[in-house]
Amino acid sequence: MKSQLRRGTLEMVLLRLLSEGEMYGYEVASELARRSRGRFEVGDGTLYPVFYRLEKEGYVEPTWRPQDRGVPRKYYRLTPEGTEALETLMAEWRGFVEGVERILTPAADEEQKS
Amino acid sequence: MKSQLRRGTLEMVLLRLLSEGEMYGYEVASELARRSRGRFEVGDGTLYPVFYRLEKEGYVEPTWRPQDRGVPRKYYRLTPEGTEALETLMAEWRGFVEGVERILTPAADEEQKS
DNA sequence: ACCGTATACCTTGTGTTGCAAGATACCTGG
DNA sequence: CCAGGTATCTTGCAACACAAGGTATACGGT
């Protein structure tokens, strides 16, 4: 149920994290949980498809980096288009939240009938 | 795209409107647009299925009211269960928004590493 | 050596749900 | 009489979050 809320915000949130520097999938998952204090936990089965979508739209670019030990990691880096998309998405998000809040709180001061 | 954001909030928003008194479908649609200043416009093809869902879950109850002129209107009224559900949904929503905002804004003061 | 666990990536199938498009019916104004 | 506004309802589609499963590498314990 609550997972429906996440729709539409995942892309934004991923782009936001990448805007601070390249990251790999697993890192993103744990960083999300940490920052949101558990309010935004997402499994890797959810995560990777989002990355592919972002990649296909040209918002991120992957680079495989072999590790001294362990399996190679796929690091994602934000493109200029991704930066632009992030701004758009954040503006949409803020506008949306504002709209919802305006409905949730009766507000009293907006008596401009249709 | 932006329509994905709406997921999970529609039920809450509808229940919230009904918590101020019974309303019928069309009324809800126009009230939503008015209050959110166009940020939350929803077609009737979206609206009615939500009402059925809410009704099936026992959160709202419909009453047909014939009009002096025009077609009868189906007014929905919030049940006690609906009131309870509304509170839960709003708490979830606020928690979710807080989580997202915490990710969007680097915050600087939460350096409690995992 | 072997097994469990952690890291790390990927794929498939399923269920929810918002939406566009279309249908019906009543009323009013030109 | 017909166009347009009110009002409800149905169908089919598409996006997408998620669980469950799969692969591979490394490491600690027995």
Side-chain angles (χ1 to χ4, degrees):
Chain A
M1 283 225 159
K2 201 179 56 183
S3 77
Q4 295 293 336
L5 284 178
R6 213 157 305 191
R7 298 214 170 207
T9 60
L10 248 182
E11 295 198 356
M12 172 182 68
V13 150
L14 254 60
L15 291 176
R16 179 66 189 82
L17 282 191
L18 293 182
S19 75
E20 297 177 7
E22 63 174 26
M23 292 177 92
Y24 61 97
Y26 238 67
E27 199 182 2
V28 166
S30 47
E31 187 66 11
L32 280 182
R34 204 191 107 256
R35 286 219 210 175
S36 69
R37 319 224 164 146
R39 271 191 269 261
F40 209 107
E41 279 175 53
V42 58
D44 59 320
T46 304
L47 210 55
Y48 291 113
V50 181
F51 274 126
Y52 302 146
R53 224 155 58 218
L54 293 175
E55 188 181 345
K56 200 162 68 181
E57 284 161 15
Y59 297 159
V60 301
E61 268 169 2
T63 313
W64 281 100
R65 298 203 195 285
Q67 304 296 303
D68 284 355
R69 58 191 56 192
V71 290
R73 291 170 178 168
K74 197 177 184 180
Y75 280 87
Y76 283 98
R77 177 179 64 260
L78 207 61
T79 66
E81 290 85 1
T83 306
E84 215 171 318
L86 173 57
E87 274 169 42
T88 305
L89 288 174
M90 280 181 63
E92 273 179 12
W93 162 253
R94 298 240 144 94
F96 175 72
V97 171
E98 198 184 323
V100 171
E101 289 300 329
R102 234 194 268 278
I103 292 166
L104 293 187
T105 60
D109 60 346
E110 31 162 327
E111 289 309 305
Q112 38 174 28
K113 302 232 170 58
S114 60
Chain B
M1 282 227 159
K2 200 176 54 182
S3 76
Q4 294 294 334
L5 285 178
R6 214 156 304 189
R7 298 213 170 209
T9 61
L10 248 182
E11 294 197 357
M12 171 182 68
V13 150
L14 254 60
L15 291 176
R16 179 66 189 80
L17 283 191
L18 293 182
S19 76
E20 297 177 8
E22 62 175 27
M23 294 178 90
Y24 60 97
Y26 236 67
E27 200 182 0
V28 166
S30 47
E31 186 66 11
L32 279 183
R34 205 191 108 255
R35 285 220 210 175
S36 69
R37 318 226 165 146
R39 272 191 267 261
F40 209 106
E41 280 176 54
V42 58
D44 59 317
T46 304
L47 210 54
Y48 292 113
V50 182
F51 274 124
Y52 303 145
R53 225 155 57 218
L54 293 175
E55 188 181 346
K56 201 163 65 180
E57 284 161 15
Y59 297 159
V60 300
E61 268 169 3
T63 313
W64 281 101
R65 297 203 196 286
Q67 304 297 301
D68 285 355
R69 59 191 56 189
V71 289
R73 293 171 178 167
K74 197 178 186 180
Y75 280 87
Y76 284 97
R77 176 179 65 260
L78 207 59
T79 66
E81 291 84 1
T83 306
E84 215 172 319
L86 173 57
E87 274 169 42
T88 305
L89 288 174
M90 280 181 63
E92 273 178 13
W93 162 253
R94 298 241 145 93
F96 175 72
V97 170
E98 198 184 323
V100 171
E101 288 299 331
R102 235 194 267 277
I103 292 165
L104 293 186
T105 59
D109 60 344
E110 29 162 330
E111 290 309 307
Q112 40 174 22
K113 301 230 172 58
S114 66

